[in-house]
């Protein structure tokens, strides 16, 4: 029930974001549809987007290319690219590289592709910078809580403790020379759910750029890349989701050009037990979902891999430490929305935001 509702909500959210991004309507099913008759978002637009949606990484992925040269072949190649990423970094796909790394924990090192190696390396950087609050070794806790999937419930405390004991990121060993990853303790598991969608968004961006495209909306379940400008040379309008609403209502919009916008929110994946909401970002220190008064965190920057890692990082760090952390991160803006409907933003984000919902007010 909850799960279905969540999926429906997610779809509504996606659709509304797409509309706000100026992409017209999207009526395609979850996979394989190409729609070429979208309405231009404003009268200056002469280029209609060519669009397709895919279902991968447990997520609806939508790509809209605003260029008359876009063909079905381009979308086929994007689909192949997404499958290739999944075959490298999925925690659950038995043939994936990360699955092999996890299966060989405490036994042997596993040679992986340069892409997987670099992504784990990047995730480890964030783990070090946050003293393990961002933690790619959190796989066992993620599996145990199973949040966002059927039957999720609060696990037995002993199981939480056992999973916690297997989540020390310092036991992830990377060998640059051999490109091998070794998990030093048997039963450990890497999970890249916090960074993988951003990585995929960057990969699609790079592909589109290589193909000579410069105007597109790449959307992986709310993890957005607004590539270049809208046709006609204007900035994109991207909605910032109201975390309290199920209708895809934004609290406002931001205007961006060639930027990624990534949100981590309590509404994305969650379950409710005994009236309490348990969302999907976990505190590696307690082994429980983070419960720090944050409803969502949105990050705007140039690279989606970083934005994805950062949105999760800032969520775990909390508002005060998160704002300090982001101050030390160049060319990056962030907005925290609290459960009390207060907004905490970097000055750059505040300047970008065209707030339309007056229930939300800035904290300072
Ligand atoms: P995101 O939606 O990008 O914020 O990522 C959330 C996902 O990252 C979860 O569904 C887990 O797969 C994983 N995750 C949960 N807690 C953490 C954490 N503290 N550090 C890193 N990854 C996490
Ligand atoms: Mg993330």
């Amino acid at each position: 029930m909850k799960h279905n509702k969540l999926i429906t909500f997610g779809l509504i959210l996606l659709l509304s974001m797409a509309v706000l991004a100026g992409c017209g309507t999207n009526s395609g099913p979850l996979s394989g549809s190409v729609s070429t008759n979208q309405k231009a978002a404003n009268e200056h637009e002469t280029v209609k987007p060519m669009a397709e949606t895919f279902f991968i990484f447990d997520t609806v992925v939508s790509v809209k290319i605003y260029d008359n040269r876009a063909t079905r072949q381009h979308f086929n190649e994007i689909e192949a690219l997404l499958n290739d990423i999944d075959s490298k970094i999925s925690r659950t796909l038995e043939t994936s590289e990360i699955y092999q790394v996890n299966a060989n924990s405490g036994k042997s090192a596993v040679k992986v592709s340069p892409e997987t190696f670099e992504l784990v390396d990047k995730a480890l950087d964030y783990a070090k910078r946050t003293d393990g609050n961002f933690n790619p070794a959190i796989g066992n806790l993620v599996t145990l809580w199973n949040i966002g999937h059927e039957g999720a419930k609060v696990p037995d405390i002993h199981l939480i403790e056992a999973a916690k004991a297997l989540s020390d990121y310092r036991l992830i060993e990377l060998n640059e020379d051999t490109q091998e990853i070794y998990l030093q303790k048997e039963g450990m598991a890497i999970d890249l759910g916090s960074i993988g969608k951003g990585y995929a968004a960057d990969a699609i961006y790079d592909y589109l750029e290589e193909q000579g495209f410069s105007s597109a909306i790449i959307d992986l379940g709310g993890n957005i890349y607004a590539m270049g400008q809208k046709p006609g040379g204007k900035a994109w309008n991207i909605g910032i989701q109201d975390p309290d609403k199920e209708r895809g209502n934004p609290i406002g919009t931001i205007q961006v050009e060639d930027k990624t916008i990534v949100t981590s929110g309590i509404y994305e994946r969650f379950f409710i037990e005994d009236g309490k909401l348990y969302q999907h970002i976990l505190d590696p220190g307690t082994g429980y979902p983070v419960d720090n008064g944050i409803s969502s965190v949105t990050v705007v920057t140039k690279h989606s891999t970083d934005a994805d890692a950062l949105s999760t990082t800032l969520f775990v760090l909390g508002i005060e430490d998160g704002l300090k952390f982001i101050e030390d991160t160049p060319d990056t803006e962030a907005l925290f929305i609290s459960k009390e409907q207060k907004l905490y933003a970097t000055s750059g984000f505040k300047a970008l935001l065209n707030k339309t919902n007056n229930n939300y007010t800035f904290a300072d």
Side-chain angles (χ1 to χ4, degrees), residues 134 193-195 223 262 264 307-313:
F134 178 90
S194 56
I195 193 170
N223 193 317
V262 176
S264 288
D308 198 0
L310 277 169
S311 66
T312 313
T313 292

Side-chain angles (χ1 to χ4, degrees), residues 31-99:
S31 66
S33 86
V34 177
S35 165
T36 51
N37 61 351
Q38 272 116 336
K39 277 190 213 129
N42 67 46
E43 58 193 358
H44 303 294
E45 288 182 20
T46 50
V47 183
K48 291 173 184 166
M50 180 125 178
E52 186 155 4
T53 52
F54 313 90
F55 189 75
I56 192 163
F57 319 133
D58 248 354
T59 302
V60 181
V61 175
S62 143
V63 180
K64 296 184 168 70
I65 308 173
Y66 289 74
D67 193 311
N68 295 331
R69 293 168 303 164
T71 64
R72 177 167 259 285
Q73 179 60 20
H74 291 114
F75 289 103
N76 290 344
E77 286 176 16
I78 289 169
E79 186 164 31
L81 190 148
L82 290 169
N83 284 325
D84 182 53
I85 293 172
D86 205 30
S87 76
K88 289 181 171 127
I89 68 169
S90 168
R91 179 175 51 85
T92 50
L93 193 67
E94 292 189 15
T95 48
S96 87
E97 293 181 344
I98 289 297
Y99 190 97

Side-chain angles (χ1 to χ4, degrees), residues 91 132-139 142 147 191-198 223 262-265 268-269 279-284 290 307-309 311-313 315-316:
R91 179 175 51 85
N133 280 301
F134 178 90
N135 186 350
I138 204 158
V142 174
I147 298 177
D191 173 274
L192 298 174
S194 56
I195 193 170
K197 282 186 267 174
N223 193 317
V262 176
T263 300
S264 288
E268 289 179 292
R269 292 165 198 259
Q279 59 73 39
H280 71 308
I281 298 173
L282 306 172
D283 179 343
V290 173
D308 198 0
S311 66
T312 313
T313 292
F315 197 108
V316 192

Side-chain angles (χ1 to χ4, degrees), residues 297-300 314 323 326 332-336 344-346 349-350:
V297 182
T298 299
V299 172
V300 177
L314 298 183
L323 281 171
I326 208 74
T332 306
E333 307 300 340
L335 170 74
F336 296 76
Y344 301 79
T346 59
F349 202 111
K350 202 170 176 179

Side-chain angles (χ1 to χ4, degrees), residues 3-285:
H3 191 215
N4 288 344
K5 201 168 138 200
L6 194 58
I7 288 174
T8 312
F9 171 48
L11 280 170
I12 292 167
L13 172 62
L14 268 166
L15 293 176
S16 74
M17 282 182 142
V19 170
L20 281 161
C23 304
T25 54
N26 178 350
S27 55
L30 289 191
S31 66
S33 86
V34 177
S35 165
T36 51
N37 61 351
Q38 272 116 336
K39 277 190 213 129
N42 67 46
E43 58 193 358
H44 303 294
E45 288 182 20
T46 50
V47 183
K48 291 173 184 166
M50 180 125 178
E52 186 155 4
T53 52
F54 313 90
F55 189 75
I56 192 163
F57 319 133
D58 248 354
T59 302
V60 181
V61 175
S62 143
V63 180
K64 296 184 168 70
I65 308 173
Y66 289 74
D67 193 311
N68 295 331
R69 293 168 303 164
T71 64
R72 177 167 259 285
Q73 179 60 20
H74 291 114
F75 289 103
N76 290 344
E77 286 176 16
I78 289 169
E79 186 164 31
L81 190 148
L82 290 169
N83 284 325
D84 182 53
I85 293 172
D86 205 30
S87 76
K88 289 181 171 127
I89 68 169
S90 168
R91 179 175 51 85
T92 50
L93 193 67
E94 292 189 15
T95 48
S96 87
E97 293 181 344
I98 289 297
Y99 190 97
Q100 294 307 318
V101 169
N102 294 345
N104 285 289
S105 58
K107 293 180 205 140
S108 56
V110 174
K111 186 172 165 61
V112 297
S113 60
E115 295 81 20
T116 302
F117 192 88
E118 267 173 45
L119 193 60
V120 174
D121 197 20
K122 175 154 254 181
L124 276 179
D125 271 354
Y126 279 96
K128 286 173 199 152
R129 281 178 67 196
T130 61
D131 212 12
N133 280 301
F134 178 90
N135 186 350
I138 204 158
N140 279 285
L141 281 166
V142 174
T143 305
L144 179 65
W145 280 90
N146 198 28
I147 298 177
H149 297 102
E150 210 64 55
K153 58 177 172 41
V154 178
D156 183 279
I157 180 74
H158 299 105
L159 295 177
I160 292 176
E161 289 302 328
K164 227 176 72 175
L166 288 170
S167 63
D168 186 347
Y169 76 91
R170 292 166 301 185
L171 302 182
I172 300 178
E173 203 178 292
L174 294 187
N175 187 328
E176 186 94 51
D177 297 331
T178 58
Q179 297 281 297
E180 286 176 330
I181 305 179
Y182 177 53
L183 305 182
Q184 292 175 357
K185 210 167 176 179
E186 187 165 356
M188 279 180 73
I190 292 178
D191 173 274
L192 298 174
S194 56
I195 193 170
K197 282 186 267 174
Y199 175 74
D202 283 339
I204 296 173
Y205 182 102
D206 291 347
Y207 167 78
L208 292 176
E209 196 173 44
E210 267 167 36
Q211 297 297 313
F213 298 123
S214 58
S215 177
I217 295 287
I218 304 159
D219 184 345
L220 293 94
N223 193 317
I224 293 173
Y225 209 119
M227 182 186 199
Q229 301 172 322
K230 279 204 285 202
K234 290 203 171 160
W236 301 101
N237 280 315
I238 305 294
I240 305 297
Q241 168 64 28
D242 181 339
D244 293 340
K245 292 259 167 65
E246 294 206 1
R247 292 267 171 104
N249 294 352
I251 66 147
T253 57
I254 56 172
Q255 289 213 329
V256 289
E257 291 180 14
D258 210 32
K259 287 271 163 44
T260 184
I261 305 94
V262 176
T263 300
S264 288
I266 57 169
Y267 55 84
E268 289 179 292
R269 292 165 198 259
F270 65 91
F271 68 90
I272 294 171
E273 188 173 308
D274 295 334
K276 186 171 161 53
L277 186 147
Y278 296 87
Q279 59 73 39
H280 71 308
I281 298 173
L282 306 172
D283 179 343

